[in-house]
């Protein structure tokens, strides 16, 4: 457990950030980490579960049934809270999806036992709909959630009479329910609108007619998702309709991403809108304002993705060029790397992944012994016994399009922990995963949230770029 002094310091720093950014005309509120050790009987179990879910999420990105992404992986969940009407709800924050949906009373969730620890989510729902109103089948939101079906078809599905369909007078009929399916779960929801307010903002942010999905039944999904993708129904897009200066630019710093229970209580700031930094902030210890920006790639098939081009990876001084599939997105929506807060591990195409980890092992293998049993139990590789320390772990850099490079802190790509076997030994694993054959449809790779920890990650929708700045005292609180 963290000491009371460190908890007080964390709260003080976050309140200071809140007051500063609110005063500068932006909004900041905390992302809560929902990690709970009680869900897993060992570190191996936690890592294995996370690798399986990360792989399932990539599979869904490549074969989506609808434009929504897999729920966040246990052990890597970031939640945010806001109010709908008179009730407060906590949802997973996810840049890989573009719909906000939540569980509503009555709520039946099949195969949801053990999916999350109720004590780790402050307001998990389901909620009662009191002031919310159904969205019309004639609305743009209804067409968007039904994959752009024409309003005449939606009116027909809503059982609107023929004479009303012919004269396009179906405003009194509710948008039909929509169905989403993904790797290991699904849900059915209806569109509603209500007043949304963000309690952490000052002055308070109130958004009228906020559109969201209300689910009464789900399979394997007990918690809703706040989609932050590029679609018209995402939370930033709906904010941008009323306040473009807030909705078209947001950033976060994932400081609580750790499998260490002493770290997960620290809030991760999510900032909506641009902020300016005064001279006092610049003089703070470890302040860092040099952002590495890379252009967003347009994806005609998956327009809600934040896709960027990865041009190479450096292990030490050896630069390994990335395949063309990671550089660009083709006309069929294949290729590119998705920056995704909802996937834990970073995944690369098979041949490129093998080249990267082989180069890593070429440098580390002669010094540290491979921990083959740990690799089998966690789904990660290569892993090593750290008897000789970590000084031999080489540096890793990511080279993005736009001539931008990002130096990864070691903790972002090499996780060290104590093996849970009878003879406890310190081990370390490379936090990369095999993303499958390069020729598969959909994104070629995913930049997961474990690689993003300790950086301020910026989504600039006006200039269509994603930026990375090394975590600093003024925002991330990490040195």
């Amino acid at each position: 457990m963290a000491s009371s002094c460190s908890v007080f310091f964390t709260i003080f720093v976050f309140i200071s950030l809140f007051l500063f950014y609110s005063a500068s005309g932006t909004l900041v509120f905390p992302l809560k980490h929902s990690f709970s050790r009680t869900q897993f009987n060992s570190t191996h179990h936690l890592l294995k579960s996370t690798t399986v879910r990360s792989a399932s999420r990539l599979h869904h990105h490549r074969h989506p049934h609808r434009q929504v992404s897999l729920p966040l992986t246990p052990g890597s969940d970031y939640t945010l809270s806001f109010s709908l009407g008179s009730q407060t709800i906590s949802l997973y924050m996810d840049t890989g999806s573009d719909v906000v949906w939540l569980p509503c009373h009555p709520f039946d969730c099949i195969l949801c036992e053990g999916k999350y620890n109720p004590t780790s989510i402050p307001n998990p729902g389901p909620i009662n709909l009191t002031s919310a109103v159904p969205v019309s089948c004639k609305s743009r939101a209804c067409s968007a959630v039904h994959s752009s079906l024409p309003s005449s078809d939606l009116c027909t599905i809503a059982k609107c009479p023929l004479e009303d369909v012919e004269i396009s007078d179906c405003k009194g009929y509710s948008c039909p329910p929509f169905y989403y399916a993904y790797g290991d779960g699904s849900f059915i929801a209806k569109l509603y609108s209500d007043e949304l307010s963000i309690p952490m903002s000052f002055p308070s942010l109130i958004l009228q007619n906020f559109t969201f999905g209300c689910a009464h039944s789900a399979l394997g999904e007990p918690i809703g998702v706040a989609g932050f993708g590029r679609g018209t129904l995402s939370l930033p897009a709906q904010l941008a309709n009323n306040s473009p200066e807030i909705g078209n630019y947001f950033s976060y710093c994932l400081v609580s991403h750790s499998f260490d229970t002493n770290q997960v209580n620290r809030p991760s700031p999510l900032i909506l809108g641009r902020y300016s930094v005064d001279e006092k902030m610049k003089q703070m210890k470890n302040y860092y304002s040099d952002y590495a920006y890379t252009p967003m790639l347009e994806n005609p098939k998956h327009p809600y993705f934040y896709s960027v081009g990865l041009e190479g990876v450096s292990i030490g001084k050896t630069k390994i060029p990335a395949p063309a599939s990671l550089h660009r997105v083709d006309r069929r929506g294949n290729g590119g790397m998705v920056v995704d807060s909802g996937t834990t591990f970073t995944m690369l195409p098979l041949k490129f992944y093998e080249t990267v980890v082989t180069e890593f092992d070429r440098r580390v293998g002669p010094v540290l012994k491979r921990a083959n049993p740990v690799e089998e139990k966690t789904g990660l590789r290569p892993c090593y016994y750290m008897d000789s320390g970590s000084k031999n772990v080489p540096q890793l850099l990511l080279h993005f399009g736009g001539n931008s490079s990002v130096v990864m802190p070691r903790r972002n790509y090499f996780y060290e922990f104590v093996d849970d076997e009878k003879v406890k030994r310190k081990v370390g694993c490379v936090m990369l995963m095999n993303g499958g054959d390069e020729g598969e449809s959909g994104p070629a790779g995913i930049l997961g949230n474990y690689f993003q920890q300790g950086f301020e990650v910026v989504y600039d929708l006006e200039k269509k770029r994603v930026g990375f700045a090394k975590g600093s005292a003024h925002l991330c609180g990490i040195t």
Side-chain angles (χ1 to χ4, degrees):
M1 295 291 292
S3 68
S4 60
C5 182
S6 64
V7 171
F8 172 79
F9 177 76
T10 298
I11 295 173
F12 172 78
V13 169
F14 200 87
I15 290 176
S16 299
L17 287 170
F18 163 61
L19 292 175
F20 169 76
Y21 289 116
S22 295
S24 66
T26 58
L27 302 175
V28 58
F29 52 99
L31 297 175
K32 170 74 174 177
H33 202 296
S34 64
F35 169 75
S36 173
R37 278 281 185 183
T38 60
Q39 294 174 263
F40 309 97
N41 55 31
S42 68
T43 301
H44 297 145
H45 179 205
L46 166 61
L47 293 174
K48 184 65 174 181
S49 173
T50 307
T51 55
V52 170
R53 293 294 295 277
S54 294
S56 297
R57 186 172 171 95
L58 176 60
H59 175 79
H60 168 72
H61 279 326
R62 288 173 171 167
H63 308 282
H65 184 84
R66 283 286 189 267
Q67 294 183 357
V68 70
S69 61
L70 198 67
L72 301 185
T73 305
S76 63
D77 305 340
Y78 294 94
T79 64
L80 59 90
S81 299
F82 51 81
S83 296
L84 277 171
S86 60
Q87 300 173 82
T88 300
I89 183 74
S90 296
L91 305 177
Y92 292 139
M93 181 267 184
D94 183 15
T95 62
S97 65
D98 66 341
V99 174
V100 179
W101 75 273
L102 49 94
C104 296
H105 279 300
F107 183 64
D108 179 29
C109 194
I110 306 168
L111 300 179
C112 285
E113 295 78 9
K115 286 285 186 175
Y116 80 105
N117 181 357
T119 63
S120 65
I121 307 290
N123 302 284
I127 70 170
N128 287 304
L129 291 183
T130 54
S131 55
V133 296
V135 170
S136 167
C137 64
K138 286 282 293 180
S139 69
R140 294 177 59 188
C142 189
S143 291
V145 82
H146 282 280
S147 300
S148 300
L149 282 177
S151 59
S152 58
D153 288 353
L154 294 171
C155 288
T156 303
I157 297 172
K159 298 182 179 180
C160 184
L162 177 59
E163 58 269 23
D164 290 343
V165 175
E166 290 292 343
I167 62 175
S168 299
D169 186 20
C170 293
K171 293 181 179 179
Y173 289 80
S174 300
C175 183
F178 56 94
Y179 166 73
Y180 279 6
Y182 35 79
D184 60 352
S186 60
F187 66 90
I188 295 175
K190 292 192 69 174
L191 280 187
Y192 286 84
S193 66
D194 204 345
E195 179 182 278
L196 175 143
S197 63
I198 298 179
M200 279 295 294
S201 64
F202 180 83
S204 60
L205 172 68
I206 298 177
L207 186 62
Q208 303 292 341
N209 300 319
F210 179 76
T211 302
F212 61 94
C214 172
H216 292 287
S217 58
L219 172 66
E221 179 45 66
I223 301 293
V225 173
F228 268 67
R230 302 176 72 181
T232 58
L233 295 180
S234 72
L235 185 55
Q238 294 195 60
L239 285 172
N241 289 335
N242 290 272
S243 303
E245 70 281 2
I246 293 177
N248 285 329
Y249 189 99
F250 68 92
S251 65
Y252 55 70
C253 187
L254 304 180
V255 299
S256 301
H257 193 299
S258 169
F259 299 120
D260 182 356
T261 53
N262 292 326
Q263 298 294 322
V264 298
N265 291 325
R266 301 174 63 188
S268 296
L270 169 65
I271 300 173
L272 303 179
R274 299 179 186 272
Y275 62 87
S276 59
V277 181
D278 60 19
E279 291 302 319
K280 290 183 179 180
M281 296 295 289
K282 292 179 180 179
Q283 293 171 9
M284 290 181 67
K285 181 182 178 182
N286 297 319
Y287 173 78
Y288 191 89
S289 61
D290 188 12
Y291 291 82
Y293 285 103
T294 183
M296 294 181 188
L297 304 178
E298 299 299 326
N299 191 316
K301 187 176 181 180
H302 311 288
Y304 51 96
F305 284 159
Y306 293 107
S307 299
V308 298
L310 182 69
E311 298 187 349
V313 173
S314 287
I315 303 296
K317 295 183 179 179
T318 302
K319 183 176 180 180
I320 306 170
S325 63
L326 280 169
H327 295 188
R328 55 182 174 76
V329 177
D330 65 23
R331 290 179 295 178
R332 294 174 294 178
N334 303 327
M337 171 167 272
V338 175
V339 183
D340 189 1
S341 71
T343 299
T344 306
F345 296 132
T346 295
M347 285 176 278
L348 303 173
L350 174 59
K351 291 183 179 180
F352 185 51
Y353 164 80
E354 292 289 355
T355 303
V356 171
V357 296
T358 298
E359 175 61 23
F360 192 95
D361 188 58
R362 187 184 71 82
R363 293 170 174 269
V364 180
V367 182
L368 301 176
K369 182 180 178 182
R370 286 286 287 270
N372 294 317
V374 176
E375 295 177 4
E376 294 176 2
K377 293 177 180 178
T378 63
L380 296 169
R381 69 177 180 90
C383 297
Y384 305 91
Y385 293 111
M386 305 301 293
D387 300 329
S388 301
S390 59
K391 63 181 180 180
N392 299 298
V393 176
Q395 188 178 66
L396 186 148
L397 285 80
L398 300 180
H399 304 285
F400 292 105
N403 197 30
S404 63
S405 296
V406 178
V407 179
M408 287 285 117
R410 180 182 299 171
R411 61 173 169 260
N412 286 32
Y413 62 89
F414 194 76
Y415 176 53
E416 298 181 45
F417 61 100
V418 177
D419 190 11
D420 293 329
E421 296 300 321
K422 294 181 180 179
V423 180
K424 295 186 180 299
R425 298 174 68 180
K426 190 173 184 180
V427 296
C429 295
V430 175
M431 305 299 268
L432 282 171
M433 284 184 63
N434 166 21
D437 293 334
E438 185 179 341
E440 292 194 41
S441 61
I446 289 182
L447 183 68
N449 60 35
Y450 204 91
F451 263 49
Q452 298 177 41
Q453 62 180 324
F455 284 90
E456 182 186 4
V457 182
V458 175
Y459 297 81
D460 187 343
L461 302 182
E462 289 181 340
K463 296 184 178 180
K464 297 183 179 180
R465 61 182 184 172
V466 177
F468 303 90
K470 187 178 178 182
S472 53
H474 82 287
L475 180 63
C476 293
I478 295 179
T479 56

